[in-house]
Amino acid sequence: MDPGTRLPAENRIYIPAPGEESDVELLPAGDVTDGVVRVGGTVRRPHQPQSYAAADYLDWLEDAGFEGSPRFLGRDSAGRDVLTFLPGTCAGAVPEQWAQSEDLLRSVACFLRRLHQTSAGYTPSRHPFPPRPVRQDPGTLVCHLDVTPQNVVVRGGPAAGLIDFDLAGLSTTYKDSYNTAMHWVPLRDPADAWAGWEMADPFRRLRIFADAYGWTPEERRRLPQFGAEAAELSLERMEHNARNLGGGWARMWRDGVGEVISRRRQWLEDNEARLTAALTR
Ligand SMILES: Nc1ncnc2c1ncn2[C@@H]1O[C@H](COP(=O)(O)OP(=O)(O)O)[C@@H](O)[C@H]1O
Ligand SMILES: [Mg+2]
């Protein structure tokens, strides 16, 4: 859209195309947001306090020529956020076999790098992101911070899009890329391996991610400790959100996400030498 004719996010009212509202599909439930649906070529999501901050960022990405993020089209008559639907496939809650592809892993790392490079020129102003307890690597770069297999749109093999900017906010390339690797390698105790992922080699996959993203030697050396710290903070935050926000956060907590994160921290500590070797040798 021409930035000159675009209304501010909060003034955008979405008018559906004729017939669009009869083409409705409930989208796979993510962890947190209830009631995400596809309507025609759009996605409708409950409006959130951070929606307009995310919308400003999505506008900026559009103007920067970044193709891999949805457009914020406004709010519909029910008050829901309306975004463009990105064609392609996202992994399910237990990521499918195809999500293990090493080429896909490489492409996720390269996609994230490109997003970080593009975002380097962005400073949120009109709608600042709501404050979040970001104690690790507080930074000045707007990052997605939730690049999970369920939030990456895959088209014809590689990663082609990223959705669900609910957790976007100020951070650093390292924090966001660590978090992405954690989800995609994935870094977790083997006891918590997803069904069908038992044979995936986390050391090999982490190295693939690191090389494709381009982590520095220092970033590679820091990884096990950074990951253990991240797990500690994530535990605190998940518990806080479960208690104060309820909904999907409380559901995840009841389902034992806390134990999974604790076991990840322990696994990272126990495997510090192997992880560093895999990343640096
Ligand atoms: N813009 C979009 N383009 C394509 N698929 C989408 C889009 N938005 C959501 N989806 C699908 O719906 C699922 C849940 O939506 P998401 O916005 O990630 O909600 P949650 O906050 O619950 O994770 C995604 O994992 C994806 O499969
Ligand atoms: Mg999601």
Side-chain angles (χ1 to χ4, degrees):
M1 190 187 286
D2 174 359
T5 60
R6 188 200 282 133
L7 290 172
E10 66 276 22
N11 296 344
R12 254 174 256 169
I13 296 167
Y14 181 72
I15 311 289
E20 182 180 288
E21 309 251 309
S22 58
D23 175 20
V24 179
E25 176 195 6
L26 187 61
L27 289 170
D31 283 328
V32 171
T33 319
D34 288 324
V36 181
V37 290
R38 180 186 63 75
V39 181
T42 71
V43 172
R44 313 291 172 99
R45 309 179 86 243
H47 182 73
Q48 325 255 6
Q50 64 275 31
S51 291
Y52 293 140
D56 283 355
Y57 178 43
L58 295 177
D59 286 351
W60 193 88
L61 288 174
E62 177 179 8
D63 297 343
F66 190 78
E67 296 290 332
S69 46
R71 307 289 167 240
F72 180 82
L73 301 174
R75 291 174 71 183
D76 67 9
S77 57
R80 295 175 298 186
D81 291 341
V82 186
L83 298 123
T84 52
F85 181 83
L86 302 184
T89 310
C90 299
V94 173
E96 296 79 358
Q97 287 295 312
W98 57 257
Q100 277 182 42
S101 150
E102 292 182 347
D103 284 340
L104 175 58
L105 180 66
R106 265 181 215 104
S107 81
V108 169
C110 294
F111 181 95
L112 186 70
R113 176 102 205 169
R114 201 159 56 78
L115 177 63
H116 287 162
Q117 284 165 343
T118 306
S119 304
Y122 180 60
T123 313
S125 52
R126 209 162 50 91
H127 294 295
F129 286 93
R132 279 177 51 220
V134 179
R135 282 168 19 219
Q136 190 185 32
D137 253 24
T140 52
L141 179 73
V142 172
C143 294
H144 183 278
L145 298 171
D146 196 22
V147 186
T148 61
Q150 297 79 22
N151 286 339
V152 168
V153 178
V154 175
R155 201 178 306 136
L162 186 58
I163 57 167
D164 190 356
F165 283 71
D166 282 355
L167 297 186
L170 294 174
S171 190
T172 64
T173 58
Y174 189 52
K175 172 84 183 173
D176 200 25
S177 56
Y178 166 75
N179 193 261
T180 302
M182 188 269 284
H183 286 299
W184 275 89
V185 166
L187 298 175
R188 27 171 73 204
D189 186 298
D192 296 315
W194 294 311
W197 285 66
E198 296 83 357
M199 300 305 287
D201 177 349
F203 304 98
R204 180 181 161 84
R205 288 177 59 84
L206 186 62
R207 176 64 188 249
I208 289 173
F209 183 94
D211 290 349
Y213 183 86
W215 278 340
T216 63
E218 171 59 15
E219 287 171 332
R220 291 167 195 247
R221 274 192 297 273
R222 284 175 71 192
L223 183 121
Q225 222 204 316
F226 187 87
E229 265 169 45
E232 190 58 43
L233 291 169
S234 151
L235 254 183
E236 272 178 43
R237 190 161 61 87
M238 299 283 286
E239 189 175 12
H240 173 91
N241 288 356
R243 202 165 283 147
N244 296 289
L245 303 177
W249 296 106
R251 189 165 57 234
M252 277 189 277
W253 194 254
R254 275 197 306 276
D255 290 349
V257 72
E259 284 89 70
V260 174
I261 298 171
S262 296
R263 285 192 290 269
R264 168 185 304 129
R265 183 190 50 201
Q266 192 61 49
W267 184 84
L268 286 164
E269 284 170 3
D270 294 347
N271 287 280
E272 179 167 1
R274 265 187 94 184
L275 286 162
T276 316
L279 285 169
T280 54
R281 72 169 166 246

